[in-house]
Amino acid sequence: QRPAVVDGDLTLGFEDILQHSQRVARALIGLGVAPGDRVAVWAPNIPEWILAACGVHAAGAVLLPLNTRLKGAETADILERSRACLLFAIGDFLGQYYPAQLDGQRPSALRRVVVLRGAVDPAHKQPGDMDWAQFLAQADTVDPQRVAEREAGLRADSVSDLMFTSGTTGRPKGVMGCHGPTIRAFAVWSDVVGLRETDRYLIVNPFFHTFGYKAGWVAAFLRGATVYPEQVYDAGRLLARIDQDRISFLPGPPAIFQGMLAHPERARFDLSSLRSAVTGASTVPPVLI
């Protein structure tokens, strides 16, 4: 019953995460998702991202995280090359309805889009599209034992995710990750950085990136820490959340900490709860430390 994810007024305990993710897995099975199928998530840091990802894993499928800054054509290309069969997409985010970006360029293998928050926009709806509640209702037709069978079929070398590179010097390339190496690597990472069982972990690093996904909520769950997701970086808002939520653990690239240290109102926030800050992913100036 201890909190696993806290997002505003919503608190999900570890038992809640298990139950919700298994319901997602049953819904995926009910919609015909087979072991090894690719299922994409195109959304910011919200609890539904975690539930969808855990459900994909429990169904024996492969998680395909998508960068929320990608344009429609870039996303369509990755969906096409990965042969993703289902896409979880945020509805409105950053002033746009995300599924609309795929109008006229949905890959043939993509059978349906599930809108994580809000209703499906009729102007952009395709056959099979549904909202989050309609998707979860599909679980009612599936015996929970089928999820147990899928989970029993997973091995350490089973592919857990397909993460595409940024494509800085060419087309993005899909990199396969497996369950065993992920657990080993980020159990060690947690030891090195001192992530503790009772930590309150503020995650602003995007879930579509390894820093927010594997070094983020996966590491937190391995440790028993509590995840506090943050959708968009804003130095003042992070300082306020550390103060209000008594955050104790905060990783991020150097720019995050440079922005917080330079914030003109930093002194008025109580940051005494912050025990550990972890930085990397870019050149780290010694003066920043």
Side-chain angles (χ1 to χ4, degrees):
Q1 298 302 323
R2 288 173 48 193
V5 178
V6 176
D7 186 39
D9 294 333
L10 175 68
T11 298
L12 296 172
F14 283 94
E15 185 177 355
D16 296 325
I17 296 291
L18 176 62
Q19 292 175 350
H20 285 303
S21 62
Q22 291 190 332
R23 185 167 181 80
V24 170
R26 287 164 58 199
L28 289 170
I29 294 171
L31 292 172
V33 174
D37 280 353
R38 270 70 65 197
V39 177
V41 181
W42 196 20
N45 293 8
I46 57 176
E48 292 93 332
W49 205 111
I50 297 174
L51 299 178
C54 291
V56 169
H57 289 154
V62 177
L63 176 67
L64 174 65
L66 294 173
N67 189 329
T68 53
R69 299 317 196 262
L70 291 176
K71 304 303 182 185
E74 297 169 317
T75 300
D77 175 62
I78 291 176
L79 292 170
E80 176 72 46
R81 288 193 284 138
S82 65
R83 300 186 300 279
C85 64
L86 187 145
L87 168 65
F88 292 103
I90 190 68
D92 294 318
F93 180 59
L94 300 178
Q96 57 186 322
Y97 179 71
Y98 266 57
Q101 298 185 62
L102 296 175
D103 285 355
Q105 50 188 351
R106 285 199 193 186
S108 57
L110 187 65
R111 299 195 296 268
R112 68 184 74 246
V113 172
V114 176
V115 178
L116 291 179
R117 289 193 174 179
V120 178
D121 188 335
H124 305 283
K125 188 179 189 299
Q126 298 292 322
D129 290 357
M130 57 185 67
D131 63 28
W132 181 242
Q134 292 169 329
F135 165 76
L136 292 177
Q138 307 300 311
D140 296 337
T141 63
V142 178
D143 189 330
Q145 181 59 31
R146 296 187 63 187
V147 177
E149 292 167 357
R150 293 282 182 95
E151 291 176 329
L154 292 173
R155 300 289 181 266
D157 60 356
S158 297
V159 177
S160 57
D161 44 69
L162 181 62
M163 301 189 73
F164 275 74
T165 63
S166 60
T168 306
T169 58
R171 293 178 78 192
K173 301 167 184 65
V175 180
M176 294 183 290
C178 297
H179 287 283
T182 293
I183 292 171
R184 290 196 301 274
F186 291 94
V188 170
W189 181 87
S190 299
D191 282 337
V192 170
V193 301
L195 180 59
R196 298 176 182 173
E197 185 173 346
T198 56
D199 272 328
R200 296 184 172 202
Y201 186 167
L202 180 60
I203 306 181
V204 66
N205 304 313
F207 289 168
F208 61 73
H209 190 283
T210 297
F211 210 166
Y213 162 29
K214 298 186 180 185
W217 60 265
V218 169
F221 286 2
L222 288 171
R223 273 293 201 248
T226 303
V227 170
Y228 289 76
E230 183 69 19
Q231 294 186 29
V232 178
Y233 169 67
D234 177 270
R237 178 166 168 78
L238 287 194
L239 291 167
R241 291 207 65 185
I242 294 170
D243 185 340
Q244 295 163 10
D245 294 326
R246 311 310 297 149
I247 298 299
S248 60
F249 192 86
L250 175 64
I256 284 182
F257 296 106
Q258 288 165 337
M260 294 169 65
L261 288 167
H263 195 276
E265 297 184 354
R266 177 168 61 92
R268 77 178 183 85
F269 297 102
D270 179 1
L271 308 180
S272 61
S273 64
L274 188 60
R275 191 194 81 255
S276 179
V278 182
T279 194
S282 180
T283 301
V284 181
V287 66
L288 177 63
I289 303 301

